[in-house]
Amino acid sequence: MYVAVKGGEKAIEAAHGWLAEERRGDPGVAELSVAQIRGQMSLAVGRVMAEGSLYDSDLAALAIKQARGDLIEAIFLIRAYRTTLPRFGASLPVETGAMRCDRRISAVFKDAPGGQVLGPTFDYTHRLLDFALAAEGEAPEAARVAAAEKAMPHIMGYLDREGLMEREAEGVGVPPDMTREPMELPADRALRLQALARGDEGFLLGLAYSTQRGYARNHAFVAELRIGAVAVEMEIPELGFAIELGEVVLTECETVNQFTGSKTEPPQFTRGYGLVFGQTERKAIAMALVDRALRWRELGEEDQGAPAQDEEFVLMHCDNIQATGFLEHIKLPHYVDFQSELELVRRLRREAGDRREAAE
Amino acid sequence: MSEYNFAYLDEQTKRMIRRAILKALAIPGYQVPFASREMPMPYGWGTGGVQVSAACLMPEDTFKVIDQGADDTTNAVSIRKFFEKTAGVATTEETARASVIQTRHRIPETPLGEDQILVYQVPIPEPLRFLEPSEVETRKMHALEEYGLMHVKLYEDISRHGAIATAYAYPVKVAGRYVMDPSPIPKFDNPKLGDCPAIQLFGAGREQRIYALPPWTAVVSLDFEDHPFEASKAAADCALCGAGDSYLDEVIVDDEGGRMFVCSDTDYCRARRAAGHVGAQGAPEGVA
Amino acid sequence: MNALLQVQGIAKSYGDRVGCTDVSLDLWPGEVMGVVGESGSGKSTLLACLSGQMAPDRGAVIYDTRDRGPMDVLAMSEPERRMLMRTDWALVHQTPRDGLRMGVSAGGNVGERLMAVGARHYGDIRARAVDWLGRVEIGPDRVDDPPSAFSGGMQQRLQIARNLVTGPRLVFMDEPTGGLDVSVQARLLDLLRGLVREMGLSAVIVTHDLAVVRLLADRLMVMKDGRVVEAGLTDQVLDDPQHGYTQLLVSSVLQV
């Protein structure tokens, strides 16, 4: 006697209960607090804010905790929460030239006004496991130097003043908001940059790397990489002037790429641009390289058929929430479709068998 | 979940989706771009359908969700609970009692009526996608009604297999104009698409598209004159309720690979058994 | 009688480089026009402008349509132009890969244009595909093979069949014999000549190969630096070239 499988509801509840238990882990070990994650897993928090498109380190830390450290799952939680927030308007463009930099380096000049500031970087650490971290204890305090309050102008400005940089086209009005309007292809650069800024770090890393290995190579140098806090201002129509809403930490990367010039234009440098929430420098560099690769048409370069040049390919596949959802949906039951395939294949095989017999 | 608006989405978003739905109804089969929101369930798990349902639901509605024709599959349960929580609407498993039905992969067997809305979850709304990967190009093909390529695919099927080898998501032409993907329903369900008294709405969240079939729209499954479209199902009757006209799931019942066929539409099967129909391996309702 | 195609003052530049300029011609029904010149002479730009693949900067391309008489192709709506291109016009690319669907069987390739204009009977479509394959000397047993399984010459013949199956009146050909062995070229030219005569086709053939125009073209245009430097009956131009460049072109072939 066959009884149809029932009890989906019960199974789901039980699974959620088990999940909560696994999330907590061994109850003999102290529970992680959101504040600990925010303070001690700050790079993970930065990534979740960037790809979640929501600047809130407390919520990002909560999402990481809830997702058991699965960052894409955490980004997903943030995105779903973001949906429920009203949109008040657009801020004024942030002034990254006035950033209070924790880190600011240039690979194209030995030194520059404002100096090379390494900041809290892994760059020159030896990647040796530090067993002292496994033992409990406070980290020794870092040496401090009083920072001179000096301006750190954009390195690009120096090249620009000499006329060596391509002219950037003026942006037209408020850029589109891809979370409020459907993506329209072909996309302008503002929309592309927006999609890249919230795109998956791993996907952009792979694409950027492919350009370095020859799939639309664009000879990028890091003109400047800067990380720090900038003020966010918004024009309030009722007031008639802009007020500061707060600060966000951003990572900005500008690459300088050579352009051979054409008959009408002398050789000059072109720019790839990356700007990402949080301390997210791998992502910002990758974004700049991919941005530059996508500009081939506008700069009159050859279409090499490289993945990083294919706007539709890049933009339609860089979102990890779209990708992970669609990938994982094949876990859902598909037995109705499979049943129809099964019958079709059986029938075609039967007919092929009949034809063979008839032929013999 | 009182901190969320009725049916989760804010009113602005619902209005945006309703505008897209109205446009879709005005141009049957045309894929209307809409600014799909990130929902609290993954893309590919019905976000498009959920957003369309959220935009259609009113407090007085009765909501039904099916996946693979069944009300008790995990994803159907999950979506039904979502709206129970966020909209507090009444839910039902009975097709006839529902005013809004969200479905994945099936059309209910019980004929729909004029006061019902059927909302489909759509993974890939573009019927031409696997022939032409570029969205820019496929939109142009729709605009210019260039559908020769679609028939090339069917031609290739016949020349290779002797028959059109598409068993589900079988493409249709809507009101003599747009070629449309009916979502991955088995082609058995295709004849129910046309001349249907209910409103049929299709939502693709990840791909940001909504399209629709207004009531009583002509829907034709693509075919050749000498290889006509054929709705097919397993050549059996339901083992539980004896139905000979419903789409059947094949269930493996023992280690030797023994199998039986049962209605995929669980509500239809239940109702038939309640009315006293008994299949070869079934027992009257209330005994099992 | 109207000219089938009237081309008036076509010009196309790429930035400050001239593609072609001030090109005019009349093509009469059943007539084959050859356009010769070295690479960079503007002949491919001209063909692209005439066949609707590129919008010229100036000029008009007036085609004598079946139902509405002479119309400026450049002023047509996109759907009208595309309809024309898949019914009354044909375009044979130099590289078969550009003109074929490599993943679709030979039969499907030939059948596509029929299906695009509404053919919905599988048996008829297939029969016409097999018939056309035969006319371009491809056996009926190859109807289900993909073009990738064909030799270069066969691919080019398949491309011709795919183009001619809807009975077009005007064919554009871009170096139809380019990249083929000499013996294969000769066979293809023979085939083309037969089809042009048999179907009463009008054609514009762009090539750098004087042997091709000698065999196929009734009239000839010689292009250099984007301009037409000489035009006339093929035999006349080839046997008694007037312009210095044409003389050079002809003599360089004869010396070989």
Side-chain angles (χ1 to χ4, degrees), chain A residues 243-320:
Chain A
I243 59 163
E244 185 175 323
L245 302 176
E247 276 192 340
V248 295
V249 171
L250 297 177
T251 302
E252 182 185 55
C253 176
E254 291 189 286
T255 59
V256 56
N257 309 64
Q258 205 184 343
F259 169 59
T260 49
S262 65
K263 264 193 183 158
T264 50
E265 289 183 68
Q268 57 183 344
F269 293 109
T270 55
R271 183 190 332 235
Y273 189 71
L275 183 70
V276 190
F277 279 158
Q279 185 177 341
T280 42
E281 100 180 36
R282 184 185 302 119
K283 165 77 177 281
I285 301 170
M287 177 175 166
L289 264 61
V290 175
D291 168 49
R292 180 61 185 75
L294 288 172
R295 298 182 62 202
W296 64 272
R297 202 189 302 269
E298 152 202 1
L299 296 170
E301 294 172 335
E302 183 198 353
D303 177 9
Q304 301 177 26
Q309 287 181 308
D310 186 334
E311 171 184 286
E312 206 173 316
F313 180 82
V314 174
L315 297 192
M316 298 298 265
H317 301 112
C318 70
D319 190 290
N320 53 23

Side-chain angles (χ1 to χ4, degrees), chain A residues 96-230:
Chain A
T96 54
M99 181 184 279
R100 212 171 63 243
C101 295
D102 289 336
R103 173 165 167 76
R104 186 267 201 144
I105 54 168
S106 169
V108 297
F109 291 107
K110 183 161 188 224
D111 202 359
Q116 304 265 15
V117 179
L118 290 185
T121 175
F122 292 122
D123 281 358
Y124 305 101
T125 62
H126 292 142
R127 268 60 172 205
L128 302 171
L129 275 177
D130 182 355
F131 293 103
L133 287 176
E136 287 169 38
E138 289 301 309
E141 209 167 299
R144 272 164 210 281
V145 188
E149 280 293 322
K150 45 186 177 178
M152 286 187 185
H154 274 129
I155 300 286
M156 276 299 186
Y158 298 103
L159 295 168
D160 201 13
R161 232 170 287 161
E162 231 186 295
L164 294 172
M165 291 305 305
E166 51 146 346
R167 284 275 138 211
E168 294 283 350
E170 277 295 315
V172 271
V174 178
D177 180 350
M178 62 179 296
T179 70
R180 299 280 149 163
E181 293 151 37
M183 173 122 73
E184 292 249 11
L185 294 168
D188 63 10
R189 192 166 176 215
L191 186 59
R192 289 202 306 249
L193 288 169
Q194 202 174 123
L196 296 179
R198 71 201 306 250
D200 182 69
E201 176 176 316
F203 182 78
L204 295 188
L205 171 64
L207 281 174
Y209 177 50
S210 74
T211 68
Q212 290 183 291
R213 286 194 67 259
Y215 291 83
R217 184 148 180 252
N218 54 38
H219 310 270
F221 299 104
V222 173
E224 186 174 3
L225 177 76
R226 55 168 62 200
I227 303 174
V230 297

Side-chain angles (χ1 to χ4, degrees), chain A residues 31-59:
Chain A
E31 190 185 348
L32 257 181
S33 74
V34 168
Q36 283 173 327
I37 296 171
R38 191 190 58 223
Q40 297 172 44
M41 296 281 147
S42 56
L43 299 190
V45 168
R47 179 171 175 197
V48 170
M49 293 194 302
E51 292 170 35
S53 295
L54 184 69
Y55 194 91
D56 187 319
S57 54
D58 288 312
L59 289 181

Side-chain angles (χ1 to χ4, degrees), chain C residues 3 5-10 22-28 31 33 35 46 50 60 62 204 219 221 228:
Chain C
L5 190 72
Q6 292 168 264
V7 177
Q8 299 166 349
I10 288 290
D22 202 22
V23 180
S24 300
L25 66 94
D26 286 340
L27 186 71
W28 298 90
E31 188 181 41
M33 170 79 78
V35 182
L46 176 66
L50 298 190
I62 294 160
V204 177
R219 279 196 299 147
M221 277 179 16
V228 177

